[in-house]
Amino acid sequence: MELEKMSCYDCQVGSPVISEGETDTLLQYIPLWTRGVHEVGYMLTREFKFEGFKDAFEFASRIADLADEQNHHPKLVTEWGKVHVFWWTHSISGLHLNDFIMAAKTDVIANSMECF
């Protein structure tokens, strides 16, 4: 499955949350991501490391552009040399296929930059 080539689709209140089994299967396609727990439910998380703040900020900016393009927005925490990215679907308080798509697209952006 090439998640990074897929596009997000409209997800609304009442859309089904991805099951734990489906989550485990989809995580195989984005192995550097983990399923975390947040006050709103499960989410995908990953920390990206950079040489300094400017590179980290540029990465966060690219994620913001992607989020606007796909109409699916993460929580981003940017600090010196690091960006923490959290994907989950707010309207269903959990994980949706869109989150896995966006995590894969985030990895593509990271691979195009000097990220470690």
Side-chain angles (χ1 to χ4, degrees), residues 1-8 29-30 66 69-70 97-98 100-109 111:
M1 180 179 292
E2 296 181 273
L3 292 168
E4 70 280 358
K5 293 183 180 178
M6 299 171 73
S7 293
C8 290
Y29 297 102
I30 51 169
L66 170 67
E69 173 189 298
Q70 294 288 316
L97 180 60
N98 289 346
F100 294 87
I101 291 169
M102 294 302 281
K105 289 179 179 293
T106 301
D107 286 346
V108 170
I109 293 170
N111 290 338

mmCIF file of all heavy atoms in Angstrom, residues 1-8 29-30 66 69-70 97-98 100-109 111:
data_model
loop_
_atom_site.group_PDB
_atom_site.id
_atom_site.type_symbol
_atom_site.label_atom_id
_atom_site.label_comp_id
_atom_site.label_asym_id
_atom_site.label_seq_id
_atom_site.Cartn_x
_atom_site.Cartn_y
_atom_site.Cartn_z
ATOM 1 N N MET A 1 0.852 -1.180 0.000
ATOM 2 C CA MET A 1 0.000 0.000 0.000
ATOM 3 C C MET A 1 0.890 1.233 0.000
ATOM 4 O O MET A 1 1.795 1.345 0.813
ATOM 5 C CB MET A 1 -0.893 -0.016 1.242
ATOM 6 C CG MET A 1 -1.819 1.173 1.330
ATOM 7 S SD MET A 1 -2.914 1.153 2.768
ATOM 8 C CE MET A 1 -3.963 -0.217 2.373
ATOM 9 N N GLU A 2 0.646 2.135 -0.920
ATOM 10 C CA GLU A 2 1.434 3.365 -1.011
ATOM 11 C C GLU A 2 0.618 4.521 -0.443
ATOM 12 O O GLU A 2 0.018 5.307 -1.174
ATOM 13 C CB GLU A 2 1.842 3.614 -2.458
ATOM 14 C CG GLU A 2 2.764 2.532 -2.989
ATOM 15 C CD GLU A 2 3.192 2.781 -4.414
ATOM 16 O OE1 GLU A 2 2.464 2.363 -5.322
ATOM 17 O OE2 GLU A 2 4.255 3.410 -4.581
ATOM 18 N N LEU A 3 0.619 4.615 0.874
ATOM 19 C CA LEU A 3 -0.175 5.624 1.569
ATOM 20 C C LEU A 3 0.168 7.033 1.120
ATOM 21 O O LEU A 3 -0.712 7.888 1.015
ATOM 22 C CB LEU A 3 0.025 5.496 3.085
ATOM 23 C CG LEU A 3 -0.530 4.238 3.738
ATOM 24 C CD1 LEU A 3 -0.007 4.120 5.161
ATOM 25 C CD2 LEU A 3 -2.050 4.270 3.732
ATOM 26 N N GLU A 4 1.454 7.283 0.855
ATOM 27 C CA GLU A 4 1.898 8.637 0.502
ATOM 28 C C GLU A 4 1.308 9.116 -0.816
ATOM 29 O O GLU A 4 1.275 10.317 -1.079
ATOM 30 C CB GLU A 4 3.426 8.723 0.467
ATOM 31 C CG GLU A 4 4.083 7.991 -0.672
ATOM 32 C CD GLU A 4 4.240 6.494 -0.476
ATOM 33 O OE1 GLU A 4 3.862 5.967 0.590
ATOM 34 O OE2 GLU A 4 4.750 5.843 -1.402
ATOM 35 N N LYS A 5 0.811 8.209 -1.648
ATOM 36 C CA LYS A 5 0.212 8.595 -2.927
ATOM 37 C C LYS A 5 -1.299 8.798 -2.831
ATOM 38 O O LYS A 5 -1.923 9.248 -3.788
ATOM 39 C CB LYS A 5 0.533 7.543 -3.990
ATOM 40 C CG LYS A 5 2.006 7.509 -4.325
ATOM 41 C CD LYS A 5 2.303 6.526 -5.419
ATOM 42 C CE LYS A 5 3.807 6.539 -5.728
ATOM 43 N NZ LYS A 5 4.125 5.563 -6.766
ATOM 44 N N MET A 6 -1.855 8.484 -1.682
ATOM 45 C CA MET A 6 -3.293 8.626 -1.489
ATOM 46 C C MET A 6 -3.606 10.048 -1.022
ATOM 47 O O MET A 6 -2.722 10.778 -0.555
ATOM 48 C CB MET A 6 -3.783 7.610 -0.459
ATOM 49 C CG MET A 6 -3.552 6.168 -0.890
ATOM 50 S SD MET A 6 -3.899 4.965 0.417
ATOM 51 C CE MET A 6 -5.687 5.034 0.438
ATOM 52 N N SER A 7 -4.864 10.438 -1.142
ATOM 53 C CA SER A 7 -5.318 11.742 -0.659
ATOM 54 C C SER A 7 -6.329 11.546 0.459
ATOM 55 O O SER A 7 -7.061 10.554 0.485
ATOM 56 C CB SER A 7 -5.975 12.538 -1.788
ATOM 57 O OG SER A 7 -5.029 12.885 -2.761
ATOM 58 N N CYS A 8 -6.350 12.509 1.351
ATOM 59 C CA CYS A 8 -7.334 12.473 2.423
ATOM 60 C C CYS A 8 -8.724 12.700 1.845
ATOM 61 O O CYS A 8 -8.883 13.371 0.830
ATOM 62 C CB CYS A 8 -7.043 13.560 3.455
ATOM 63 S SG CYS A 8 -5.559 13.235 4.421
ATOM 64 N N TYR A 29 3.325 0.108 7.364
ATOM 65 C CA TYR A 29 3.672 0.955 6.219
ATOM 66 C C TYR A 29 4.371 2.249 6.647
ATOM 67 O O TYR A 29 4.956 2.929 5.814
ATOM 68 C CB TYR A 29 2.420 1.286 5.402
ATOM 69 C CG TYR A 29 1.776 0.054 4.813
ATOM 70 C CD1 TYR A 29 0.651 -0.500 5.395
ATOM 71 C CD2 TYR A 29 2.321 -0.571 3.693
ATOM 72 C CE1 TYR A 29 0.058 -1.643 4.870
ATOM 73 C CE2 TYR A 29 1.749 -1.713 3.162
ATOM 74 C CZ TYR A 29 0.620 -2.247 3.757
ATOM 75 O OH TYR A 29 0.045 -3.383 3.241
ATOM 76 N N ILE A 30 4.276 2.567 7.915
ATOM 77 C CA ILE A 30 4.931 3.769 8.457
ATOM 78 C C ILE A 30 5.644 3.365 9.760
ATOM 79 O O ILE A 30 5.273 3.786 10.848
ATOM 80 C CB ILE A 30 3.920 4.926 8.684
ATOM 81 C CG1 ILE A 30 2.708 4.457 9.479
ATOM 82 C CG2 ILE A 30 3.506 5.556 7.355
ATOM 83 C CD1 ILE A 30 1.801 5.566 9.975
ATOM 84 N N LEU A 66 1.195 21.137 3.532
ATOM 85 C CA LEU A 66 0.562 19.857 3.219
ATOM 86 C C LEU A 66 -0.801 19.741 3.908
ATOM 87 O O LEU A 66 -1.787 19.324 3.294
ATOM 88 C CB LEU A 66 1.472 18.705 3.671
ATOM 89 C CG LEU A 66 0.864 17.304 3.631
ATOM 90 C CD1 LEU A 66 0.586 16.877 2.200
ATOM 91 C CD2 LEU A 66 1.784 16.317 4.345
ATOM 92 N N GLU A 69 -3.329 21.783 2.139
ATOM 93 C CA GLU A 69 -3.639 21.160 0.849
ATOM 94 C C GLU A 69 -4.598 19.981 1.009
ATOM 95 O O GLU A 69 -5.510 19.795 0.221
ATOM 96 C CB GLU A 69 -2.333 20.692 0.211
ATOM 97 C CG GLU A 69 -2.488 19.889 -1.055
ATOM 98 C CD GLU A 69 -1.154 19.302 -1.476
ATOM 99 O OE1 GLU A 69 -0.224 20.077 -1.760
ATOM 100 O OE2 GLU A 69 -1.058 18.057 -1.507
ATOM 101 N N GLN A 70 -4.391 19.176 2.047
ATOM 102 C CA GLN A 70 -5.194 17.971 2.272
ATOM 103 C C GLN A 70 -6.390 18.212 3.212
ATOM 104 O O GLN A 70 -7.181 17.309 3.429
ATOM 105 C CB GLN A 70 -4.316 16.858 2.856
ATOM 106 C CG GLN A 70 -3.251 16.353 1.910
ATOM 107 C CD GLN A 70 -3.824 15.527 0.786
ATOM 108 O OE1 GLN A 70 -4.688 14.682 0.972
ATOM 109 N NE2 GLN A 70 -3.340 15.783 -0.434
ATOM 110 N N LEU A 97 -8.046 6.522 8.470
ATOM 111 C CA LEU A 97 -7.082 6.270 7.392
ATOM 112 C C LEU A 97 -6.347 7.553 7.010
ATOM 113 O O LEU A 97 -5.151 7.525 6.690
ATOM 114 C CB LEU A 97 -7.780 5.675 6.171
ATOM 115 C CG LEU A 97 -6.883 5.371 4.972
ATOM 116 C CD1 LEU A 97 -5.785 4.371 5.338
ATOM 117 C CD2 LEU A 97 -7.707 4.878 3.799
ATOM 118 N N ASN A 98 -7.023 8.696 7.063
ATOM 119 C CA ASN A 98 -6.378 9.976 6.731
ATOM 120 C C ASN A 98 -5.116 10.215 7.546
ATOM 121 O O ASN A 98 -4.144 10.787 7.047
ATOM 122 C CB ASN A 98 -7.345 11.135 6.947
ATOM 123 C CG ASN A 98 -8.456 11.188 5.938
ATOM 124 O OD1 ASN A 98 -8.410 10.536 4.899
ATOM 125 N ND2 ASN A 98 -9.485 11.969 6.230
ATOM 126 N N PHE A 100 -2.967 8.028 8.702
ATOM 127 C CA PHE A 100 -1.892 7.197 8.176
ATOM 128 C C PHE A 100 -1.376 7.753 6.846
ATOM 129 O O PHE A 100 -0.178 7.740 6.579
ATOM 130 C CB PHE A 100 -2.366 5.751 8.033
ATOM 131 C CG PHE A 100 -2.664 5.124 9.372
ATOM 132 C CD1 PHE A 100 -3.915 5.256 9.945
ATOM 133 C CD2 PHE A 100 -1.689 4.429 10.064
ATOM 134 C CE1 PHE A 100 -4.196 4.697 11.186
ATOM 135 C CE2 PHE A 100 -1.949 3.869 11.304
ATOM 136 C CZ PHE A 100 -3.211 4.012 11.865
ATOM 137 N N ILE A 101 -2.296 8.257 6.038
ATOM 138 C CA ILE A 101 -1.913 8.903 4.778
ATOM 139 C C ILE A 101 -1.020 10.106 5.069
ATOM 140 O O ILE A 101 0.048 10.272 4.460
ATOM 141 C CB ILE A 101 -3.170 9.325 3.988
ATOM 142 C CG1 ILE A 101 -3.919 8.089 3.472
ATOM 143 C CG2 ILE A 101 -2.804 10.273 2.845
ATOM 144 C CD1 ILE A 101 -5.306 8.385 2.917
ATOM 145 N N MET A 102 -1.426 10.919 6.020
ATOM 146 C CA MET A 102 -0.657 12.130 6.323
ATOM 147 C C MET A 102 0.682 11.797 6.976
ATOM 148 O O MET A 102 1.684 12.478 6.731
ATOM 149 C CB MET A 102 -1.482 13.066 7.204
ATOM 150 C CG MET A 102 -2.717 13.610 6.488
ATOM 151 S SD MET A 102 -2.344 14.502 4.963
ATOM 152 C CE MET A 102 -1.829 16.073 5.649
ATOM 153 N N ALA A 103 0.739 10.754 7.781
ATOM 154 C CA ALA A 103 2.017 10.335 8.363
ATOM 155 C C ALA A 103 2.974 9.904 7.249
ATOM 156 O O ALA A 103 4.159 10.271 7.258
ATOM 157 C CB ALA A 103 1.803 9.207 9.361
ATOM 158 N N ALA A 104 2.470 9.163 6.280
ATOM 159 C CA ALA A 104 3.322 8.728 5.154
ATOM 160 C C ALA A 104 3.786 9.928 4.339
ATOM 161 O O ALA A 104 4.948 9.991 3.919
ATOM 162 C CB ALA A 104 2.552 7.739 4.277
ATOM 163 N N LYS A 105 2.906 10.892 4.117
ATOM 164 C CA LYS A 105 3.284 12.101 3.380
ATOM 165 C C LYS A 105 4.305 12.916 4.175
ATOM 166 O O LYS A 105 5.210 13.527 3.606
ATOM 167 C CB LYS A 105 2.042 12.946 3.063
ATOM 168 C CG LYS A 105 1.141 12.317 1.997
ATOM 169 C CD LYS A 105 -0.083 13.186 1.754
ATOM 170 C CE LYS A 105 -0.994 12.623 0.705
ATOM 171 N NZ LYS A 105 -0.425 12.608 -0.646
ATOM 172 N N THR A 106 4.176 12.921 5.488
ATOM 173 C CA THR A 106 5.136 13.609 6.354
ATOM 174 C C THR A 106 6.521 12.968 6.207
ATOM 175 O O THR A 106 7.529 13.667 6.128
ATOM 176 C CB THR A 106 4.671 13.558 7.821
ATOM 177 O OG1 THR A 106 3.391 14.183 7.926
ATOM 178 C CG2 THR A 106 5.649 14.254 8.738
ATOM 179 N N ASP A 107 6.557 11.639 6.131
ATOM 180 C CA ASP A 107 7.837 10.941 5.951
ATOM 181 C C ASP A 107 8.485 11.326 4.617
ATOM 182 O O ASP A 107 9.708 11.454 4.548
ATOM 183 C CB ASP A 107 7.633 9.428 6.018
ATOM 184 C CG ASP A 107 7.391 8.911 7.417
ATOM 185 O OD1 ASP A 107 7.645 9.665 8.392
ATOM 186 O OD2 ASP A 107 6.957 7.757 7.548
ATOM 187 N N VAL A 108 7.685 11.493 3.584
ATOM 188 C CA VAL A 108 8.225 11.900 2.282
ATOM 189 C C VAL A 108 8.901 13.271 2.405
ATOM 190 O O VAL A 108 10.005 13.487 1.879
ATOM 191 C CB VAL A 108 7.120 11.911 1.192
ATOM 192 C CG1 VAL A 108 7.616 12.568 -0.090
ATOM 193 C CG2 VAL A 108 6.633 10.499 0.920
ATOM 194 N N ILE A 109 8.242 14.196 3.091
ATOM 195 C CA ILE A 109 8.832 15.520 3.294
ATOM 196 C C ILE A 109 10.125 15.404 4.091
ATOM 197 O O ILE A 109 11.149 16.016 3.749
ATOM 198 C CB ILE A 109 7.830 16.467 3.968
ATOM 199 C CG1 ILE A 109 6.661 16.756 3.029
ATOM 200 C CG2 ILE A 109 8.514 17.773 4.406
ATOM 201 C CD1 ILE A 109 5.492 17.483 3.679
ATOM 202 N N ASN A 111 12.135 12.909 4.280
ATOM 203 C CA ASN A 111 13.180 12.284 3.463
ATOM 204 C C ASN A 111 13.772 13.249 2.439
ATOM 205 O O ASN A 111 14.884 13.036 1.963
ATOM 206 C CB ASN A 111 12.624 11.047 2.753
ATOM 207 C CG ASN A 111 12.349 9.919 3.713
ATOM 208 O OD1 ASN A 111 12.906 9.858 4.808
ATOM 209 N ND2 ASN A 111 11.454 9.028 3.325
#
